Amino acid sequence: MESSPPPDKASARLAAPEALAVPEPSADPALERLATLARDLFEVPTALVTLLERRRLRCIAGQGWTRHDLPPDLPPEGTFCSHAIAGGDTLVVEDALADPRFVGAPRVDGIPDIRFYAGVPLRPDGEAVGTLCLLDSRPRSLSPRERQLLEQLAAQAEVLLTQHALRQRQRRQQEELELSTQRMAAVLEESAAGIIRIDRRGTMRDINPFALRLLGYPRHELVGENIKALMHDGEASRHDGYLSRYLAGEAPRIIGQGREVVARHRDGRRVPVHLAVSAIRGGDGEVDEFIGILTDLSEIHEARRAAQRERRLLGAIIDGSREPIYARSSGGRYLAANRACRELLGLGALEGEPPPLSVLLSHALAAQIESAEREVVSLGSPRQLVLGEVKGRHLELSLSPLGNREEGVRGVVGVVHDTTEARRQSNLLRVLHQGITDYQALMSGHRLWEFLMEALRELTDSDYALIGEVVEAEGAPALKLHAITDLSWSEESRRLMERLRSGDMMLTNPDSLLGRVFAHGEVIMTEDLASHPGRGGFPPGHPSLRNYLGVPIHDGQSVIGMFAIANGRRRYDQALLEWLKPFTSTCALLINLHRGLAERARATEALAQARDQAERASRAKSEFLSSMSHELRTPLNAVLGYAQLLANSRQQPLNERQARQVAQIERSGQHLLALINDVLDLARIEAGKLSLSLERVRLDELVGDALMSVQTSAADAGVTLSAPEISALTEVRADYTRLKQVLLNLLSNAIKYNRRGGRVEVSVSGESARVWVSVRDTGLGIAQEHQSALFEPFQRLGAEHGAIEGTGIGLSITRQLVEAMSGEIWVESRLGEGSVFHVALPLADAGPAPEAAASDAAPSGGQGPMASCRVLYVEDNPANRQLMHEVFAELEGAELITVGCAEEALERLGRELPDLLLLDIHLPGMDGHALLARLRREPQWSSLPVLAVTASAMPSDIRRGRLAGFDGYLTKPLDLERLRRVLNEHLPIEGEPHA
């Protein structure tokens, strides 16, 4: 039997009977009477009222064949009623056994069998949910008049079902109303807040026990009284106006909003409360009454008063501090500031809101402080900030969060520390230390005396200063100036200043303010230079000088120099003179050094011979480079080796902070190693011994690799890196390693000589036969007159006087590498705007791209564990022996034995033959080459694998090692990853035979 297809709104139809809430079994007598009428009217044995529910067909009224005759879980599918409901119209089946749709249907083949069915769908709410149906065990027909009559009875059934559903809804609403009333009563009686019902006239209709206890009234004294009875006079007079204006439609001032008010206790006391008033509206939208909620604020107000007392006490303590202290909210509002802070900012008492920081301080300093305060509020951790010079004092700021992370940070507390005197003392010591330790570097750049003069001005807060040396001129002392602040005011005075600085002109007048110092050894000190008796006349236009201090520099009893300062912002007095004594002594030492070195330089110059200068220089350079490489690589081996061990240890992995610190150590060591390699590269290039492996290089991979390498240094410098997408098909003919070295050098320079917040952009463009890579920066740029010397070795174009580190050989190496790869490099630069370096290289020939060697890409961790093996390491440096022990501690199955010299190694080899020998070359007594030669001559040792592990990294050293017969040559500092790969090549792997 086929079942009727469900209509489109089947889910809505199946849910509709549940909405009628017809109980099971039905107790509605009207439906029963209607079923009886239908049975009698149509003279059939059975008339039913059915509902089609989600999972069954249920009879809710019936006569003849009752609802009890239906199975309780009769599936609705395929029944006569489901067909009638699905069809949406009256269904008449005159003979079920003759109708193919119902062959095998329930109650058709059974007893009592159903042969006739007439059913009308019932739609009490628009959706068909059931039927009024007639059943007979005999076939029969239904006339049009009978069909119409059955449909009218079905309409009556729909009305009865609708009325039943309405009664059920009314009953549920009544139950919910009673429950809501009970809940409201419970809230009123048991609430921990005061609740008052108020009518439209302000009369109290009810008040709960909490409000009565809070205000001390019995209920009968308040119910029926106006709410003004609970208010003090000032508030009571305004109350009626609040209600009347709200009811008249004005914007609410209290209704619907909470605020703090003062209620009147029965005994007249003032009770602080929080009052929230809500309007209760009826079904017509009009306000029926108001509900007032009172929250007792007595404890809160007492806590506030206690906090105010504590705040006043703390304020008195803080106000007594000599250090400026303040507190600001996270929104930037001042919460407190002590007297010292107000004096620093030039503020009176904080009665009103003070002006923004940008008004009180410079915009840059205000922005710096506000940024730091936001960071403290955001992170919840303290912060130290150096403010620099503020109103003549050097200040530092300590910021701490106001509150904590759990309860929330509400602002910051700042304490300002005056570090002026400590900084002055530190600056003096720094100047003295730098003047002595960096003497040669300063002298080589002709900066020593300028450095000391500027330091003197800074230390004494003076506008003008000079430093000079006393020499003999025509039998009398004269002053030769080494450094002087520019005092020129005209072209003539400018030429005079140049002559004084160059030493072409000396000062000889012994009676001037300067002459009394250098000729007679007197200290001249005055705060009023204009009235000093020794003051000579100044020409028109000469800068005004207010105060003056001239100090002689003695060597024993002799005056060998002097310094002078003028226009100081601090008073020149005896205390300052005493404080400058270390500076004076240092100047005496430096003048003597200067004289001694000058004399020695003259003697050296006289002895210099030009005939073999070039040969000696070349030999000295080679020896120096070899020695420098060896001596620097030996300690670097320990530094970088231990850094790699710590970073990659599987037994004791580092935490995040330790990993960052170790990474910084490794980066710094790699930087020093790169400097060593740069010097060696330059030497090899100049000697014509540079070897290149020219091959096809994909620029997208190379540029990406280089950018990743400098990402950290760019982030530290505050410089943004960018590169457009580069086609994978762009390939050049070059040496990958050397081209990467070129790009890294250009990127590093673009970052170093950039400005904070600047940008570095790498771009690639090309033509038919060439491709050029461009590195653009937004730095200071290079003056046109300096660009021709840019690629010369040891030319830093004045940057050697700055704080940026460098050797001046990077661009020289870069140019020579590019030219060795048949390329070209040039620069475009504008002062103040930045520079663009272009590198042009030939395009690679067409063909498949080269694949990376699998051996280079294979990670060391891919090797299996080592079989049990023994390695002998010959090394005289204890630090290097300990490092190798640490490396082998990470290798399973390998035992390391170390000895300090070749003689011990021979003794050990005579007792026991290891699987591998690691051999340093520079050893006390017999060196590594001699030991290797001995081993190769002896039959029992001739096949022993021997690897050189040495700091001798010059190309000549490596060639000599390979010719001598080493099985491998590892240079220090060791790359531990490469060391592991080499060990895996020469030691047996567990489960594999050792080749």
Side-chain angles (χ1 to χ4, degrees), residues 413-582:
V413 175
V415 181
V416 180
H417 311 286
D418 188 342
T419 60
T420 307
E421 294 305 321
R423 186 176 178 82
R424 284 185 68 210
Q425 194 66 30
S426 174
N427 286 342
L428 175 61
L429 294 175
R430 175 183 56 80
V431 169
L432 300 182
H433 181 268
Q434 186 173 354
I436 294 172
T437 58
D438 294 351
Y439 173 79
Q440 290 186 335
L442 292 169
M443 283 300 297
S444 66
H446 305 288
R447 294 181 52 242
L448 174 63
W449 305 111
E450 289 288 337
F451 165 75
L452 290 175
M453 183 196 70
E454 291 301 327
L456 180 62
R457 289 182 57 236
E458 180 185 346
L459 292 171
T460 60
D461 282 343
S462 299
D463 291 336
Y464 304 109
L466 65 83
I467 295 179
E469 179 183 357
V470 176
V471 297
E472 187 174 332
E474 299 180 356
L479 183 65
K480 179 181 179 180
L481 292 179
H482 288 306
I484 182 172
T485 309
D486 189 4
L487 285 165
S488 61
W489 63 93
S490 64
E491 182 61 28
E492 182 180 359
S493 64
R494 184 186 64 77
R495 290 195 296 268
L496 176 64
M497 294 297 298
E498 289 178 354
R499 291 186 62 196
L500 287 171
R501 287 197 185 97
S502 66
D504 292 343
M505 178 181 177
M506 291 184 286
L507 303 177
T508 58
N509 182 2
D511 297 320
S512 66
L513 285 178
L514 293 176
R516 301 305 301 175
V517 180
F518 71 77
H520 302 285
E522 299 178 11
V523 173
I524 304 298
M525 181 164 46
T526 178
E527 283 297 304
D528 186 6
L529 185 60
S531 62
H532 193 275
R535 172 188 178 274
F538 291 132
H542 190 286
S544 173
L545 301 180
R546 301 186 308 275
N547 52 2
Y548 169 82
L549 173 63
V551 180
I553 300 173
H554 288 89
D555 180 24
Q557 298 299 317
S558 303
V559 178
I560 61 173
M562 72 162 288
F563 65 79
I565 51 178
N567 285 12
R569 284 176 285 279
R570 290 191 178 86
R571 181 180 178 81
Y572 295 159
D573 53 19
Q574 192 63 34
L576 176 62
L577 192 62
E578 290 293 322
W579 187 73
L580 285 173
K581 276 186 176 181

Side-chain angles (χ1 to χ4, degrees), residues 234-253:
E235 192 71 27
S237 61
R238 295 192 294 270
H239 172 71
D240 286 341
Y242 292 149
L243 295 182
S244 61
R245 285 193 295 272
Y246 177 77
L247 293 172
E250 291 187 13
R253 298 181 58 188

